[in-house]
Amino acid sequence: MKVVLLAGGLGTRISEESHLKPKPMIEIGGRPILWHIMKYYSEFGFHDFVICLGYKQYVVKEFFADYFLHTSDVTFDLANNKMEVHNNYSEPWRVTLVDTGLNTMTGGRIKRIQPYIGDEPFMMTYGDGVCTVDLNALVKFHKEHGKTATMTTVNIAQMKGVLDISDDNAVRSFREKDEKDASLINGGFMVLNPDIFSYLEDDTTVFEKEPLQRLAAEGQLMSFHHTGFWQCMDTQREMQKLEALWQTGAAPWKIWEN
């Protein structure tokens, strides 16, 4: 089963980093978060990736073109125009990099990679989030219910304190957030049947709007609820949180050996 990764957005909410590179190429522990996501999928046996590119797409292409330079020791013999790679580890990946346009919306990007998918179910997620979702259980769930789409859903707590305000605008109480203030959101890590492409119109289609709303209305969208670790990287603070987890050896998504 192929894995589609959305990696073409501008990443404006983390502009401190993304003005230099696409957000999926922002590094955690010295490696792009895109690499972390691919490593996670690969540990479950999913090695065939289709990456939807857009903003600064050449950065992603150059990373994979020079993959050994990023991951191995090398010797350059300049006189003879040769490069020797030492102690290299080759990932079991097949990576298709597709320029899906600079301003294309998420649904449009998925629509554009249809020729690379064929008539088969595929997995899809965003290039800026890591988790501990059981991907095998996710695929099993999707195959059993037979609907068009399965979305991993996660609980995310409110970020601020909670106010109780009266009709005359008086603040009656203030408390910190707790579990009952959590909201259920789209966590990515989806499985989609090929008929999903019929829900996608053109480059202006936002996948999270009309397509998902229509799927839900038709009873074709199922929730796979995940209660474990999940974290997106929308802001500098979230990037620093992921970096701290990695540096302290407490990154829950790192399920592979060094």
Side-chain angles (χ1 to χ4, degrees):
M1 185 177 287
K2 293 182 179 179
V3 180
V4 173
L5 301 175
L6 295 179
L10 295 176
T12 54
R13 284 180 289 181
I14 193 170
S15 58
E16 297 92 337
E17 296 281 340
S18 63
H19 73 285
L20 298 173
K21 63 185 73 172
K23 185 165 67 165
M25 295 303 292
I26 295 173
E27 295 181 354
I28 301 298
R31 299 286 175 84
I33 191 170
L34 182 68
W35 177 89
H36 289 260
I37 297 167
M38 295 171 72
K39 286 285 288 185
Y40 188 80
Y41 272 99
S42 192
E43 285 298 301
F44 286 86
F46 302 104
H47 308 304
D48 195 347
F49 299 94
V50 179
I51 305 180
C52 303
L53 304 178
Y55 175 67
K56 295 187 182 294
Q57 49 89 23
Y58 63 89
V59 176
V60 184
K61 290 179 178 178
E62 289 175 353
F63 174 80
F64 287 103
D66 296 331
Y67 190 77
F68 287 133
L69 293 180
H70 296 280
T71 58
S72 307
D73 298 330
V74 294
T75 295
F76 292 100
D77 184 345
L78 301 183
N80 296 295
N81 193 28
K82 292 182 180 179
M83 181 183 78
E84 181 181 359
V85 179
H86 307 282
N87 304 318
N88 66 289
Y89 173 75
S90 179
E91 304 286 355
W93 299 346
R94 184 175 187 270
V95 185
T96 302
L97 303 170
V98 184
D99 183 359
T100 55
L102 179 60
N103 298 311
T104 308
M105 298 293 102
T106 49
R109 295 190 190 282
I110 299 170
K111 182 74 170 179
R112 285 209 191 188
I113 54 87
Q114 184 175 1
Y116 301 97
I117 297 299
D119 189 26
E120 60 184 28
F122 61 98
M123 308 183 81
M124 190 279 286
T125 196
Y126 305 95
D128 62 354
V130 287
C131 69
T132 56
V133 173
D134 185 335
L135 298 177
N136 290 332
L138 170 63
V139 171
K140 181 175 183 291
F141 173 74
H142 178 80
K143 290 179 177 179
E144 288 176 346
H145 65 61
K147 305 294 185 181
T148 297
T150 300
M151 169 197 297
T152 295
T153 53
V154 297
N155 287 93
I156 183 167
Q158 299 291 330
M159 298 301 295
K160 307 295 182 182
V162 179
L163 299 173
D164 179 16
I165 301 176
S166 67
D167 292 339
D168 62 355
N169 296 317
V171 178
R172 294 186 293 203
S173 67
F174 175 88
R175 61 177 171 78
E176 291 300 311
K177 62 185 182 295
D178 58 30
E179 291 184 359
K180 70 180 181 180
D181 298 312
S183 300
L184 203 61
I185 66 166
N186 169 15
F189 295 90
M190 303 181 187
V191 186
L192 305 169
N193 286 345
D195 58 316
I196 191 65
F197 294 112
S198 66
Y199 291 79
L200 309 174
E201 295 294 331
D202 53 31
D203 285 358
T204 66
T205 302
V206 179
F207 182 65
E208 297 77 15
K209 292 185 177 180
E210 197 277 335
L212 287 185
Q213 291 167 358
R214 181 180 159 198
L215 285 165
E218 296 177 359
Q220 291 296 316
L221 178 61
M222 299 293 287
S223 164
F224 182 81
H225 187 52
H226 172 62
T227 58
F229 176 83
W230 177 91
Q231 181 63 59
C232 64
M233 190 182 68
D234 273 340
T235 66
Q236 193 84 3
R237 180 179 178 181
E238 290 168 343
M239 182 191 74
Q240 292 167 351
K241 176 181 178 180
L242 292 174
E243 181 69 25
L245 287 171
W246 184 268
Q247 293 300 336
T248 57
W253 69 91
K254 185 184 180 299
I255 59 174
W256 55 89
E257 297 295 327
N258 291 328

